[in-house]
Amino acid sequence: MVVPPGVAYNAAISRCSRAGLHQRAIALLHEMCARGHHADEYTLPPALNSAALLRLPADALHCLLLRAGLAAHLHVANALVDAYAKLSRHGAAWAVFDEMPRRDVVTWTSLLTGLARSRSHDSALRVYRDMVSAGVGPDEFAVAAALSSCAGATALELGRSVHAAAVRLALDPFLSVGNSLVSMYAKTGSLGAAKKVFDAMRVRCDTITWTALIVGYAQNGRGKESLEIYGEMVRSGCRPDYITFIGLLFACSHAGLVDAGRAHFRSMQADHGIAPGPDHYACMVDLLGRAGRLDEAMDLLNRSTTRLDATVWKALLAACRTHRNAELAEHAARMIWRLDPTDAVPYVMLSNLYSRAGRWGDVARVRTSMKARGITKEPGCSWVAANGVTHLFYVEDRGHPRAAEIYRKVEEMTERIRGEGYVADTAWALQDEGPEGREKGLAHHSERLAVAFGLLAVPAGAPIRVFKNLRVCGDCHAAMKMVAQAYGREIVLRDANCFHHMKDGACSCGDYW
């Protein structure tokens, strides 16, 4: 060759990495080193990228760059931060980041996007704040990652701030930023803002854009509108993908559209060549289960050629809990345990089903079995933001500085809605105790405490936005609808399943969640 071999290898490694031929890129690196050619600042960045995307340890390449004296080289160090972040080795990424004598926007963005990708949203948002404080202007990749973490952390106010920064920096026309904005607003319950961003986008031929809105409408209890948007998407010539159909089937499930759900499930493979996966089967089981068609749901699973995961059986178990079918629930629980013996969900759901049926002996048996196996359930918690501060609550929580006020407000709420006809549904209580104790336990669920604090701290004209890590129970759902009416407030509750927009005594889910 007319060029030095090292230069030729660098060009080939870089080209293979950019083309997605990552195994070939790593093979060329080994060949290069075996022939006595030294890796340099042009070799290592693409090699690190390929290694990370192949999920190969980056330590050997890290040692190689240290021996080459390239640890302080900006582009090489950036590539190393990016590689460790992609491998979810956050401690190593932070260590390299902290030791860098100089950083640029790529450095910050590499760490930020890696944290966001691995769902370390609070850490990602801290990096974004530090980046801005350091005077480094974010690029479109940093903004998109920050918005993704705002969605994951339900940080609506910060998301609005990032949106403002994107407009100020003229980054909002980028497709990745627009997609992230639609998704962020939809996932934080601001559907109007999501639609406004969508309508303002100059180019939205991207499947991700349409899918973000379809899923957003579905999660916010607007199933029929979700299907209408899908119709617009198809008419625009944009093809749906695997995720699009999850959103569609979710929309059908939460709107009770059984026939439409069946039709879309069939059209996945017939019209679009997309084989249904476990997520689609879970949505179909949820759809049929909510409609009380448990036999049809089981028949669908028995005919499936897809390898079903625990999500599918959890959907069936939830339907069995709703319709109090203990026999089928026990079968679904056994299937979940076969896949993951340490999963706490079947224990909790079976305990809930038995308690609603007053089968306290079975409740005790399930709890004893759970304790013997050392399995603990995820504690329910709810949080609400006020004046830029997030306040977290657990059931029977008295650790808040304003706990006395909050509990007085809970009592006031209960008395007020009781005067409007509220009667506690103590079947949702898990304790085997007297009616008064079970009713009191329900009144002190984490979401009720969060709403009470919201009434005290959130300005009258603003919605009270509450987020819960688990599903809201039926009694709290009924009570909070009445609280919204009694106090003339809008309560937006996002539980583990969907959004509930409560106003004037009604909920966007149509009591079908």
Side-chain angles (χ1 to χ4, degrees):
M1 297 184 70
V2 296
V3 295
V7 175
Y9 272 111
N10 286 346
I13 291 168
S14 179
R15 182 63 182 270
C16 286
S17 183
R18 286 200 303 271
L21 303 174
H22 301 299
Q23 288 181 329
R24 179 62 178 149
I26 297 301
L28 283 167
L29 175 65
H30 284 299
E31 183 182 309
M32 177 185 183
C33 293
R35 292 188 175 185
H37 305 299
H38 297 293
D40 59 20
E41 65 270 27
Y42 302 104
T43 319
L44 289 165
L48 282 163
N49 179 60
S50 289
L53 292 173
L54 289 171
R55 309 301 297 172
L56 300 175
D59 304 82
L61 291 174
H62 192 170
C63 291
L64 191 62
L65 70 89
L66 288 173
R67 286 199 301 270
L70 295 171
H73 192 285
L74 180 61
H75 298 314
V76 175
N78 283 347
L80 189 58
V81 170
D82 181 64
Y84 278 131
K86 283 176 178 171
L87 292 166
S88 298
R89 293 185 58 184
H90 300 149
W94 275 110
V96 175
F97 179 89
D98 288 339
E99 291 173 5
M100 290 176 66
R102 188 164 63 92
R103 303 174 188 132
D104 63 4
V105 64
V106 177
T107 320
W108 290 93
T109 301
S110 297
L111 186 60
L112 171 56
T113 54
L115 292 166
R117 195 182 297 114
S118 61
R119 299 184 181 181
S120 299
H121 298 306
D122 290 338
S123 296
L125 294 177
R126 281 198 297 273
V127 170
Y128 175 79
R129 291 190 187 97
D130 290 345
M131 177 183 185
V132 174
S133 297
V136 179
D139 59 13
E140 67 271 23
F141 303 107
V143 167
L147 289 168
S148 174
S149 283
C150 287
T154 63
L156 175 60
E157 292 308 315
L158 180 57
R160 286 173 174 156
S161 174
V162 177
H163 185 181
V167 172
R168 189 169 61 252
L169 296 168
L171 298 173
D172 51 316
F174 284 94
L175 183 60
S176 61
V177 174
N179 288 346
S180 297
L181 281 168
V182 172
S183 182
M184 185 276 293
Y185 281 123
K187 289 180 178 179
T188 52
S190 300
L191 204 53
K195 186 62 165 62
K196 188 174 179 181
V197 171
F198 178 86
D199 289 340
M201 290 177 70
R202 298 172 190 170
V203 179
R204 52 173 182 266
C205 58
D206 190 288
T207 300
I208 296 172
T209 318
W210 289 96
T211 299
L213 199 63
I214 289 167
V215 172
Y217 269 80
Q219 289 180 329
N220 281 273
R222 306 272 287 275
K224 292 181 180 178
E225 291 96 323
S226 184
L227 299 189
E228 289 171 3
I229 292 166
Y230 174 69
E232 291 179 34
M233 174 184 180
V234 173
R235 287 191 294 274
S236 75
C238 189
R239 292 185 63 81
D241 63 9
Y242 186 97
I243 305 298
T244 309
F245 279 99
I246 294 176
L248 282 175
L249 295 175
F250 186 94
C252 292
S253 172
H254 287 254
L257 304 172
V258 176
D259 291 338
R262 287 199 198 101
H264 285 300
F265 187 75
R266 287 193 298 267
S267 77
M268 279 182 62
Q269 198 150 18
D271 300 330
H272 301 282
I274 300 171
D279 296 307
H280 304 104
Y281 276 100
C283 288
M284 284 301 295
V285 168
D286 192 52
L287 168 67
L288 297 169
R290 289 169 187 271
R293 305 185 187 195
L294 297 177
D295 291 339
E296 186 179 344
M298 268 308 302
D299 181 60
L300 178 69
L301 297 184
N302 289 333
R303 289 186 287 107
S304 168
T305 57
T306 300
R307 185 175 181 179
L308 305 175
D309 64 13
T311 307
V312 178
W313 297 107
K314 287 176 185 179
L316 182 63
L317 181 53
C320 292
R321 180 183 63 175
T322 300
H323 297 287
R324 306 191 184 191
N325 187 325
E327 183 179 354
L328 190 54
E330 288 160 356
H331 169 68
R334 286 192 296 271
M335 296 302 293
I336 299 168
W337 285 322
R338 185 179 299 175
L339 293 163
D340 183 3
T342 64
D343 197 324
V345 170
Y347 292 99
V348 175
M349 286 197 177
L350 282 177
S351 180
N352 185 278
L353 187 153
Y354 292 143
S355 68
R356 293 192 70 190
R359 294 169 55 176
W360 299 111
D362 287 322
V363 171
R365 176 178 57 81
V366 169
R367 289 181 177 176
T368 301
S369 177
M370 189 176 179
K371 186 176 181 180
R373 289 171 170 81
I375 297 168
T376 56
K377 82 179 198 72
E378 181 183 5
C381 65
S382 300
W383 58 99
V384 58
N387 300 317
V389 179
T390 299
H391 301 261
L392 181 67
F393 299 91
Y394 291 90
V395 63
E396 300 280 359
D397 192 350
R398 295 184 182 272
H400 195 278
R402 299 178 65 180
E405 288 180 83
I406 291 167
Y407 275 81
R408 283 196 297 271
K409 181 59 74 172
V410 168
E411 291 176 13
E412 177 192 297
M413 284 162 42
T414 305
E415 288 303 314
R416 201 153 168 178
I417 61 176
R418 192 179 283 134
E420 299 293 327
Y422 164 74
V423 177
D425 183 357
T426 55
W428 288 96
L430 296 179
Q431 294 81 16
D432 182 12
E433 53 186 37
E436 184 177 339
R438 299 177 78 195
E439 183 175 347
K440 187 176 180 181
L442 289 170
H444 296 159
H445 276 187
S446 65
E447 56 265 53
R448 302 269 268 272
L449 298 178
V451 167
F453 177 76
L455 289 171
L456 291 168
V458 177
I464 299 171
R465 298 181 183 275
V466 175
F467 300 89
K468 183 175 171 67
N469 65 330
L470 306 176
R471 281 197 185 190
V472 61
C473 83
D475 182 69
C476 285
H477 188 269
M480 287 194 289
K481 284 194 305 177
M482 297 185 73
V483 167
Q485 183 175 34
Y487 286 85
R489 300 294 296 266
E490 180 184 1
I491 298 173
V492 181
L493 168 68
R494 195 195 82 174
D495 68 6
N497 203 36
C498 65
F499 275 95
H500 303 269
H501 296 258
M502 301 173 179
K503 192 174 183 180
D504 300 328
C507 181
S508 60
C509 74
D511 300 334
Y512 195 76
W513 84 100

